[in-house]
Amino acid sequence: MFHLFSCFALILSLYVCLSLILPLRLSRYWKVLLSLPLLLAALKNEVLSAFGGPMFFAPELPGWFLILLSVAFNTLLMLFFLALLKDLALSGVRIAGAFRGKRIRIRHAGTISATLAGIAVFLGISGTACALTVPGVREETLLVEHLPAGLENLRIALVADIHCSAVNREPYVRAVAEKTNALKPDLIFLLGDLVDGTPAQRKADLVPLSGLRAKYGVFGITGNHEYFSGWESWRPIFREWGFRMLVNRGELLRINGAPLWIAGVADHAAVRFGFEGPDPEKALNGCPGGTVALLLDHRPGNAAENAEYPVTAQFSGHTHGGMIAGPGRALIAHFNGGFAGGWYRVGRSRLYVSRGSGLWNGFIFRIGIPSEITLLTLKRSPSQSR
C-alpha cells in the first residue's frame, strides 16, 4: 500500500527537480538521470515496507542500509528547504527589479544548484551522524515550593525514546545504560519507546538496559512503540529486569522520611491494541494531599489535562525535541499541545519534555537538537517560579 507520506515526499522531490535541475543547461537525458536519485530517495518508506517486513516501525534490514536510506532522504529534505529559500530570495530580487523597471536575469544556475546540493549532502550526512551519536548528559533543576527536606537534592535520571532497533543495537544501548549509571542517580525514569521490535528481534540488543541501577528504583511507562512491538510480550521481561512499570498506577516512596508519589499512565496507542488507555485519575488515586507527585506520561500533549490533578511535575518524551531546530521543532510542537522539548509551565504544574536518548529508524536525523540523558535535581523554591 502506497503511503501518504511517500506522496508528500514525491512532491518535495518534484519541486527540487523543477527548481534545481530543470534550469540547468544540460540535455534531457542528464536532467532525468540527475532527477532519478531524488525520486528514489522520496520512496524510502516504500522500500522499508517492501523489504523490511510488515512491521514498518522495526524493519528487519541491515543497519547500514537503513542509515544509507536515511542519508538519501535527509539530503532530499535539506535540498527542498534550500531550494525553497533560493526561490524566495530570487523572487524578491525579481520583484525589486520590477519596481525599478528592470528585468533581472538570474545567471549561474549550475553553480547555484551545485552549491546547494553540496550543502544539502553535508547537512544530510552530519544530521544523520548526530542522530546516531550516543547522547550527552543534560543537567536540569526542578524547583519545588515547600519541598520536604528529605527530597532536597534528589537526583533523577530521565531516559526516553531509545528506540532500540536494527540501527541502534546492543553497543548503543550499553553506552546509554553505562552513562546513566555513571550519574549515580537516586531514581531512574524510563519515559517510553525503549524498543522497536518483538522480544525475538530485540531482546538481546536491549538487555544492557537491565543493568540500570538507582538507589530507590527504576520506574517506567509505556510509549506508543511498546504497543507496536508487542507489549504483552515485553511486560514480563521488563518485570524480570526489575523495572517498576507504572501503567495507570502510582507508588508512594519514603525517601529520608519524606513522601514522594511516582505515577505513570499508559500511552494512547494502548487502546488500539485492546489495552486500557491513559488514566491519570487512576494513577494518582491514593496520593496523600500535599505530597510531591511526579507523573510520567510519554506524550507531552496530555499535560493540560494532567495538570487538572495535583501533579507537581510531569515528565515526557515522544517528540525527540523536534529533531530539526526551527521548522522541525515548531511542527512537532504544533502536534503535541505546543510542547517540543525542555521546560514548560502548565497551570500549577511543570512539564519537562526530553529530547530523547536515541533515534527512531524511520527518521534518523537531528540538526541543532542533540539527544540527551537528563539528570534532574530537586531543589526547594521559595516561590512557584523556576
Side-chain angles (χ1 to χ4, degrees):
M1 179 180 178
F2 202 74
H3 295 92
L4 181 62
F5 183 82
S6 296
C7 295
F8 175 72
L10 280 172
I11 293 173
L12 299 188
S13 67
L14 289 172
Y15 182 88
V16 172
C17 292
L18 292 173
S19 175
L20 298 182
I21 296 178
L22 189 62
L24 298 178
R25 294 182 178 179
L26 296 173
S27 68
R28 183 179 301 176
Y29 171 81
W30 281 106
K31 289 180 180 180
V32 170
L33 200 62
L34 290 173
S35 299
L36 281 177
L38 300 176
L39 297 175
L40 292 174
L43 295 175
K44 182 191 75 167
N45 285 357
E46 304 310 311
V47 174
L48 293 180
S49 297
F51 299 102
M55 185 181 289
F56 168 66
F57 286 94
E60 283 303 293
L61 293 168
W64 65 265
F65 183 67
L66 293 172
I67 293 170
L68 187 63
L69 281 179
S70 291
V71 169
F73 180 81
N74 297 341
T75 299
L76 168 63
L77 187 63
M78 293 297 99
L79 266 175
F80 167 74
F81 283 118
L82 290 171
L84 183 62
L85 289 174
K86 183 264 295 184
D87 290 340
L88 290 173
L90 294 183
S91 296
V93 170
R94 289 192 177 102
I95 292 172
F99 275 113
R100 296 186 306 179
K102 295 182 179 180
R103 184 179 178 182
I104 298 177
R105 298 181 61 184
I106 306 301
R107 301 178 180 180
H108 309 297
T111 301
I112 293 173
S113 294
T115 301
L116 295 184
I119 295 172
V121 170
F122 171 77
L123 292 174
I125 294 174
S126 60
T128 304
C130 179
L132 293 167
T133 302
V134 175
V137 176
R138 181 176 180 175
E139 297 191 22
E140 296 288 345
T141 302
L142 172 61
L143 300 183
V144 180
E145 190 176 19
H146 309 306
L147 181 73
L151 300 181
E152 184 79 18
N153 296 318
L154 188 74
R155 291 157 55 89
I156 304 172
L158 308 179
V159 177
D161 302 287
I162 291 178
H163 288 282
C164 175
S165 67
V167 174
N168 48 341
R169 307 193 68 167
E170 192 271 352
Y172 185 95
V173 178
R174 182 173 299 280
V176 171
E178 289 177 350
K179 186 168 281 192
T180 303
N181 281 337
L183 300 175
K184 301 187 183 305
D186 298 306
L187 289 163
I188 296 176
F189 292 165
L190 305 175
L191 302 178
D193 282 5
L194 301 180
V195 63
D196 281 335
T198 65
Q201 294 170 311
R202 294 280 80 88
K203 182 180 178 181
D205 290 319
L206 195 64
V207 74
L209 215 62
S210 65
L212 288 175
R213 295 291 181 267
K215 186 175 182 180
Y216 299 108
V218 179
F219 294 83
I221 52 171
T222 52
N224 49 319
H225 285 245
E226 269 72 48
Y227 295 101
F228 299 144
S229 302
W231 171 233
E232 196 63 47
S233 299
W234 280 109
R235 179 162 49 186
I237 294 173
F238 289 167
R239 186 184 305 119
E240 174 190 339
W241 289 352
F243 300 168
R244 290 147 80 170
M245 301 301 292
L246 303 176
V247 183
N248 293 333
R249 71 182 189 90
E251 290 190 19
L252 180 64
L253 303 184
R254 289 281 175 181
I255 298 177
N256 300 321
L260 175 66
W261 187 268
I262 304 174
V265 296
D267 185 80
H268 282 294
V271 178
R272 292 172 51 188
F273 294 87
F275 297 97
E276 182 182 36
D279 190 341
E281 182 176 2
K282 186 176 180 181
L284 291 160
N285 184 37
C287 177
T291 300
V292 174
L294 306 180
L295 178 67
L296 315 185
D297 187 335
H298 181 65
R299 304 196 191 212
N302 302 324
E305 177 184 347
N306 293 337
E308 297 177 3
Y309 298 92
V311 174
T312 306
Q314 173 181 322
F315 304 111
S316 299
H318 189 60
T319 66
H320 294 234
M323 291 169 285
I324 303 175
R329 181 180 171 90
L331 181 65
I332 291 296
H334 175 74
F335 289 103
N336 288 275
F339 311 118
W343 284 107
Y344 300 90
R345 167 72 66 180
V346 185
R348 297 173 61 185
S349 180
R350 298 300 307 279
L351 167 67
Y352 185 80
V353 184
S354 169
R355 295 182 300 201
S357 309
L359 57 108
W360 172 46
N361 57 28
F363 190 49
I364 308 172
F365 202 41
R366 287 182 181 270
I367 292 183
I369 302 179
S371 56
E372 68 180 63
I373 298 168
T374 318
L375 180 62
L376 183 80
T377 303
L378 268 59
K379 296 280 188 180
R380 184 180 302 176
S381 171
S383 66
Q384 293 187 2
S385 62
R386 180 172 174 263

